[in-house]
Amino acid sequence: MVTKQVSGTIMLHLEDGSKRFLVHETEGSKEFARTDTQTETTVLASFLNFLKSNVHIDVNHIRLVELTNTQSNGTNTPLYVFEMMSEEATELPKDFAWETPDSVREILGTIEIEGVPLFE
């Protein structure tokens, strides 16, 4: 049985108008948060459960703004983009960070995207 994955990020709106993005830091590199899908839930619910249990994000304070599909090594992976206001953010667990848009551009340069997400 092949395990499917889902990935995503949260665009954090800071009070000064700048933005930060949720990334996962692994072995010296950065990637979007990612988890296996759960057979008993939808792909979206699988990712929301991951955000709640692993990243400690209150999913009542995020809003879905974009869904696109990425490809890596011939495997399709949905990419969800959420947004939230900085006052709703909590401390992130180890290996997760709020990164600048430049870091996100670097991550986007490593994957093939079908339909480019619009980060407004």
Side-chain angles (χ1 to χ4, degrees):
M1 180 172 139
V2 176
T3 303
K4 293 187 122 193
Q5 290 205 314
V6 57
S7 64
T9 188
I10 299 172
M11 181 171 44
L12 185 67
H13 297 279
L14 301 179
E15 291 178 17
D16 66 3
S18 63
K19 311 229 184 310
R20 295 292 182 269
F21 293 85
L22 176 69
V23 298
H24 184 215
E25 299 172 330
T26 60
E27 300 171 10
S29 67
K30 297 173 185 171
E31 64 183 16
F32 292 122
R34 159 186 320 267
T35 189
D36 293 336
T37 59
Q38 302 160 346
T39 55
E40 65 278 0
T41 65
T42 66
V43 174
L44 176 58
S46 295
F47 193 72
L48 290 173
N49 288 337
F50 170 79
L51 288 175
K52 284 192 297 190
S53 62
N54 294 66
V55 191
H56 312 296
I57 297 290
D58 182 344
V59 297
N60 294 310
H61 293 130
I62 61 175
R63 184 175 73 95
L64 180 63
V65 292
E66 186 71 37
L67 168 61
T68 192
N69 192 53
T70 63
Q71 285 195 353
S72 179
N73 301 323
T75 302
N76 290 328
T77 304
L79 171 66
Y80 289 97
V81 179
F82 298 90
E83 67 179 357
M84 74 185 300
M85 303 307 290
S86 61
E87 59 268 13
E88 305 295 343
T90 58
E91 187 175 336
L92 296 174
K94 184 179 182 225
D95 300 332
F96 288 92
W98 295 111
E99 289 288 333
T100 64
D102 287 341
S103 292
V104 172
R105 283 186 200 96
E106 288 178 24
I107 296 169
L108 289 170
T110 66
I111 56 178
E112 184 178 328
I113 297 180
E114 296 177 1
V116 178
L118 301 174
F119 299 127
E120 298 177 2

